[in-house]
Amino acid sequence: MPPAAPAIARSRTTPAAPAARGSLAGRCAVVLHAHPDDEAIFTAATVHRLARAGARVVLVTATAGELGPVLRPLHAGETLADRRRVELERACARLGVARLVLLGHRDSGMAGWSSNAHPDALAAADVPTVARRLAEICVAESAETLVHYDPGGIYGHPDHVAVHRIGVAAAALAGLTTYEATVDSADRRGRHLVDLAAGGGTVGWDTSGIATVVDADAVDLAAKRAAMAAHASQVPREAVRRSGFAAAYGREWYRRDGVPGLLDEVASVAVR
Ligand SMILES: [Zn+2]
């Protein structure tokens, strides 16, 4: 379905994105993620491909991921949120992200944790309020496309489900084509971190509901591997070994709502 008429008007005075070279120069996608590392695990090849083609990619990360694991020791006085922000900035640099926006919500933790109800938790946030903030970013950036998550949040994490709800509401406000990042539940060629995170629960979406597939080439794949490796506090070393990486992470999947948009320009499979 095409997006409804936008409720937030686009300003004629909004400055255009900085000039970039490439076939997608002057076009912008906003990519919403729940935690630092999700951008690398689920959408890095797509982001890198868009940036290579000249598109402006704005990454919006909703939480600091402060309840994630700590796989590498922290420095004295350093919090996990501090570390994850540094890791996120490194990943953004590797992927060609033009602007990083941190929404500043708190990580809600896994489903059922008491932290789900913390007043600052993303899962407890007022969806219309956060959606309006996101829509305003999209409009200010003259974005045409918003990326968020499938209705199940890819694997059910409360913050990922919140990202879906916020993304749907923001897209309606700003009148955007949306792509919902997912994984194909039937097209799995290697062990993906999402399987570990899901702990045997439902993961991704059925092939028939997936509209757009982006296959990483060697350049995108190297960038994705480097971006995932940048999140060393979260991503185990085994996951970023060269062997098996392409099979597990070389493909990215999206559901689409709205007319074909920016991601279909870089897709290997696009249903039009
Ligand atoms: Zn996450």
Side-chain angles (χ1 to χ4, degrees):
M1 292 287 290
I8 294 182
R10 288 175 183 275
S11 167
R12 289 178 186 277
T13 59
T14 299
R21 275 182 269 185
S23 60
L24 301 181
R27 300 176 68 180
C28 176
V30 171
V31 181
L32 174 66
H33 279 286
H35 311 106
D37 77 0
D38 291 318
E39 83 295 336
I41 295 166
F42 296 110
T43 62
T46 306
V47 166
H48 189 254
R49 179 78 62 85
L50 288 169
R52 280 170 71 196
R56 177 175 169 84
V57 181
V58 176
L59 173 63
V60 180
T61 303
T63 80
E66 47 273 83
L67 297 184
V70 186
L71 300 183
R72 299 287 177 92
L74 301 176
H75 305 304
E78 185 186 35
T79 66
L80 181 57
D82 296 336
R83 174 67 63 90
R84 295 193 71 172
R85 177 170 180 152
V86 171
E87 292 175 345
L88 180 60
E89 288 170 350
R90 284 188 189 137
C92 284
R94 192 63 185 79
L95 296 177
V97 169
R99 178 187 171 202
L100 169 63
V101 180
L102 303 172
L103 293 184
H105 293 277
R106 189 173 191 271
D107 189 338
S108 305
M110 300 302 287
W113 291 9
S114 61
S115 51
N116 295 176
H118 189 287
D120 297 331
L122 181 65
D126 180 62
V127 169
T129 301
V130 186
R132 178 158 287 273
R133 191 175 167 202
L134 178 62
E136 287 171 355
I137 293 167
C138 293
V139 170
E141 289 285 353
S142 299
E144 61 180 82
T145 288
L146 174 64
V147 178
H148 59 94
Y149 298 150
D150 73 32
I154 310 179
Y155 71 99
H157 189 296
D159 287 332
H160 287 236
V161 175
V163 159
H164 169 77
R165 293 178 181 146
I166 292 161
V168 168
L173 287 170
L176 303 169
T177 285
T178 60
Y179 292 88
E180 298 176 359
T182 187
V183 295
D184 187 326
S185 55
D187 179 17
R188 311 301 295 286
R189 298 171 293 168
R191 185 152 173 79
H192 194 290
L193 277 174
V194 74
D195 298 311
L196 191 66
T202 303
V203 168
W205 210 261
D206 185 76
T207 311
S208 62
I210 291 172
T212 305
V213 174
V214 175
D215 283 315
D217 64 15
V219 178
D220 299 322
L221 197 67
K224 179 166 185 167
R225 193 162 155 258
M228 284 177 61
H231 291 285
S233 75
Q234 305 299 304
V235 174
R237 287 188 177 93
E238 312 84 77
V240 290
R241 281 194 192 123
R242 199 178 300 272
S243 166
F245 188 81
Y249 298 104
R251 177 165 279 192
E252 294 172 349
W253 304 264
Y254 301 90
R255 290 159 43 85
R256 188 185 70 222
D257 188 17
V259 297
L262 208 41
L263 267 59
D264 287 291
E265 302 283 353
V266 296
S268 43
V269 177
V271 179
R272 289 183 184 263

